[in-house]
Amino acid sequence: HDAGCLHQDLHPGNILVRRGPGPDGPDAFFVIDLDTIAPRRRHPESARVANLARFDHYFWFRYSATDRYRFLKHYAKLREGRVRPSPKA
């Protein structure tokens, strides 16, 4: 979201993960299906929340509420600048 992209069909099938070297190496995440991205300088907070809610929907039956909360907590820390994102691959 901070890069100015809002994926209109965000779900796990549109994210590729490249595992980092070693057990604790940084993983790299790539968003695919780019024809559904809405580029803007800045998206309103309501659009970001709706996008995350849509993404969360795909995990309701596979992950616990605790795991989903951990994701959202980490996302919030990234947004606040308290956690640095993984280096670009």
Side-chain angles (χ1 to χ4, degrees):
H1 295 133
D2 287 340
C5 297
L6 192 71
H7 201 289
Q8 301 298 322
D9 187 28
L10 187 61
H11 60 80
N14 284 337
I15 298 175
L16 298 176
V17 180
R18 183 171 71 191
R19 302 296 297 177
D24 295 325
D27 298 332
F29 297 85
F30 303 91
V31 177
I32 60 173
D33 194 15
L34 301 179
D35 60 325
T36 62
I37 287 183
R40 285 193 188 153
R41 286 199 137 173
R42 195 143 174 88
H43 291 279
E45 193 68 23
S46 60
R48 294 176 188 177
V49 169
N51 197 237
L52 288 171
R54 192 170 32 247
F55 186 64
D56 179 63
H57 174 76
Y58 289 95
F59 296 100
W60 283 357
F61 299 110
R62 294 191 157 202
Y63 294 94
S64 69
T66 301
D67 288 333
R68 295 190 329 269
Y69 174 75
R70 285 184 189 131
F71 167 80
L72 291 173
K73 187 175 173 182
H74 188 74
Y75 175 85
K77 286 181 183 178
L78 282 169
R79 299 262 311 127
E80 294 171 2
R82 294 182 5 213
V83 174
R84 293 182 48 178
S86 299
K88 292 185 180 181

